[in-house]
Amino acid sequence: MDFELTDEHRMVQHMVREFAQREVAPVIKEYDRKQEMAPFVLDRMAELGILGICLPVRYGGQGMDYIALGLACEELEAVDTTLRVVMSVHVGLNSLGLLQWGTEEQKQRLLAPQARGDKIACFGLTEPGAGSDVAALQSRAVRQGDIYVLNGEKMWISLASKAHHALVVARTDPDAPDPHDGLSAFLVELDTPGVTTGDIHGKLGVRAGSTGWIAFQDTPVPLENRIGEEGEGFKIAMSCLDNGRYTVAAGATGLIRACLEASLRYAKDRHAFGREIGKFQLIQQKIAYMVQSYDAARLLYLRAGWMKNRGLRNTRETSLAKWFATDASFEAASQAIQIHGAYGYSDEYDVERYLRNAKGAIIYEGTSEIHQLMQAAYALEYRRDAPLRCELPPYDAATWQ
Amino acid sequence: MKIVVCVKQVPDSAAKMTVENGQVSWGEAPLVINPWDEYAVEAALVQKEAHGGDVIAVSLGGESAKEALKHALAMGCSEAVLISDPALAGADSQAVAKALAAAIRKIGDVDLVTFGRQAIDGDMGVTAAQTARILGWPALTLVSRISQLDSSSRTIQVERSVEDGRQVVQGKLPAVISVVKDFGEPRYPSFMGIRKASRANIPTWGLGDLGLAAPVSVVSWPKVENPPAREIKTEIIAGSSAQEIAEQLADKLLAEKVL
Ligand SMILES: Cc1cc2nc3c(=O)[nH]c(=O)nc-3n(C[C@H](O)[C@H](O)[C@@H](O)COP(=O)(O)OP(=O)(O)OC[C@H]3O[C@@H](n4cnc5c(N)ncnc54)[C@H](O)[C@@H]3O)c2cc1C
Ligand SMILES: Cc1cc2nc3c(=O)[nH]c(=O)nc-3n(C[C@H](O)[C@H](O)[C@H](O)COP(=O)(O)OP(=O)(O)OC[C@H]3O[C@@H](n4cnc5c(N)ncnc54)[C@H](O)[C@@H]3O)c2cc1C
């Protein structure tokens, strides 16, 4: 067993931290208030290679491993959740899905421009009428010769209005005895006719990010953009979530760290009853819990990253990391506000934004309730992971170059 | 174009420096590349990109100084060399300059050497000039822009940032320059660079490799202390209008002879 990060990991961590702290931290409050994405964010993340961090160099990526992806997400969310959301959808839910399920031709044609950051990618699973219950989704894709004709609406889609590519799951076989088997996955280029997108405003959190909708009206999708076989859509979506959830877990860990750091600063600075508030045991208890959840969340996501590097199936471990870290980050943010007193309740400090952002991650990529059901089902042996036709390739330094 | 950049490993600028028994300590704070030296690396890399060639990072320090060198490699330097020798402990800036000059000679055919303006721990700001003196090369200090570099006519023209404006200065190559912040933000390490840096084998040169005898420091620092803690009084001025508050504040500042 080896708990040490490599030099490479430490340098990645440092580089991503520098970017987020230097370029985004100074302006994040302004964009959060405006409910707009800072215009330079995607371009800079592309330019610095962050958008292709863990993809093989031959597919346009930077050739780092899955742990580097997690560390980057931790650093990004320590500044703002919206930076990490970009990684969750562009890398976790979409690009790693193509790496896992795409053909060699699709990887060259569709994945490489994403890995280089020339094309921004999102993930369209949720619909107005179907969230947790994925198999209830209504979008239809009907095959007509060499194309599929796509109709339907996707809702709550991160980067909907910014992305060029969307990985979309739609129903191809309405008569499948098990509705899970009637779904297929498509990489839709969003400049195709019949696609409209828009942003949702008035969200509680993720305000400096884009969350929106994508509607398809008789949108033609070429056959060569179907990912996997017909009927594999549900499995593909779940694989994508194994990777997206990993980035959410790592990000939420960064959010806990941000809460802890803000609380430590404030507890030493603020005085009440003639001493710094850090001297009060009830304040110390809140800090102790943050330390506990930070370390536990970090170990959980790093274990999942290590399993990904080795090519071990990690659906259970990733779900556990995501569930724990997101719940713990909400609690940490709530307690950080408490430590800040009235000042924490205003957007003069960052902690109120942390709380609003933390709530989102308890809902997306599997609500906490869904993760609890999963964990219990594994423990009770009601659930077992069957091998997949395509597994996420293990990290191999040589083949990644 | 063959460029050497000299980088020092220093305690993080956020570190709290204390003096314990005459020894400077920075506690658990991490060691980082001297922030000014990142500008020196940037300057060297910009020249390499414009004219081709190699940038070799050199640092004098303990084994941990390899971290600063790795940072320079990750930013894009081609090679790195560590100068390390137990006999260099306690070296003054002249001894450091002698060792750096010897390394630059050993590397050979160097056209340009870049330095940071000063090290944030030692704060001498003299090592560039001393190294130039030992090499017998022109020293162009506090450079904010390299406006011309011509390897055929062997000339360099730079802009120097000085308090009251700018100076344009010309010199002959090979030359030594020290670089200031106005040069422009240093780049972040790239992922490709990080991978290269983490796999790099950094050679260590001792005094023997440089053909130097143990240096005799001509400067020592017998006493080092933290500044005495200052008494700070805080007073909040109240008043019914901004005008009244400002007047009171102005009176107080005048009474205290601040203005
Ligand atoms: C408490 C204390 C007091 C000291 N007082 C003196 C003193 O009074 N006189 C004296 O001569 N020395 C003194 N020194 C030693 C001095 O700090 C170092 O010898 C030294 O590296 C040169 O000075 P500097 O670090 O301030 O560098 P500066 O001259 O400020 O550095 C300028 C540039 O030179 C380069 N550079 C500096 N050091 C290195 C290095 N090790 N490797 C590669 N490049 C480098 C960097 O590019 C840097 O940006 C003192 C040291 C201590 C701990
Ligand atoms: C900021 C944000 C970004 C998002 N980004 C994306 C994206 O990029 N792509 C995408 O496809 N989706 C995205 N989503 C959608 C998200 O994944 C869904 O909101 C989520 O899966 C929950 O679905 P729902 O909102 O329809 O809630 P529902 O499924 O309707 O659930 C409502 C409540 O019922 C509970 N519940 C449901 N089923 C059960 C059960 N069996 N047992 C116990 N409780 C249950 C849920 O836990 C929840 O508390 C995003 C959402 C948000 C808020």
Side-chain angles (χ1 to χ4, degrees), chain A residues 7-8 22-23 62 401, chain B residues 70 185 188 195 198-199:
Chain A
D7 271 355
E8 200 168 294
R22 267 205 237 166
E23 297 184 28
Q62 300 291 336
Q401 299 323 313
Chain B
K70 283 182 188 168
E185 278 299 300
Y188 304 117
R195 231 186 359 263
S198 67
R199 293 178 184 25

Side-chain angles (χ1 to χ4, degrees), chain A residues 81 85 88-89 93 122-134 154-160 167 200 203 205-207 210-212 241 245 357 359-371 373:
Chain A
T81 202
V85 167
S88 295
V89 301
L93 292 167
C122 71
F123 179 73
L125 185 64
T126 307
E127 299 184 354
S132 306
D133 185 4
V134 171
K154 296 293 176 181
M155 187 73 180
W156 293 107
I157 306 307
S158 306
L159 300 184
L167 188 59
I200 298 169
K203 287 173 295 174
V206 201
R207 287 188 164 216
S210 132
T211 318
L241 286 167
R245 286 167 180 169
N357 288 339
K359 190 66 195 174
I362 299 177
I363 297 169
Y364 54 68
E365 305 223 25
T367 62
S368 276
E369 289 77 8
I370 294 299
H371 290 292
L373 297 180

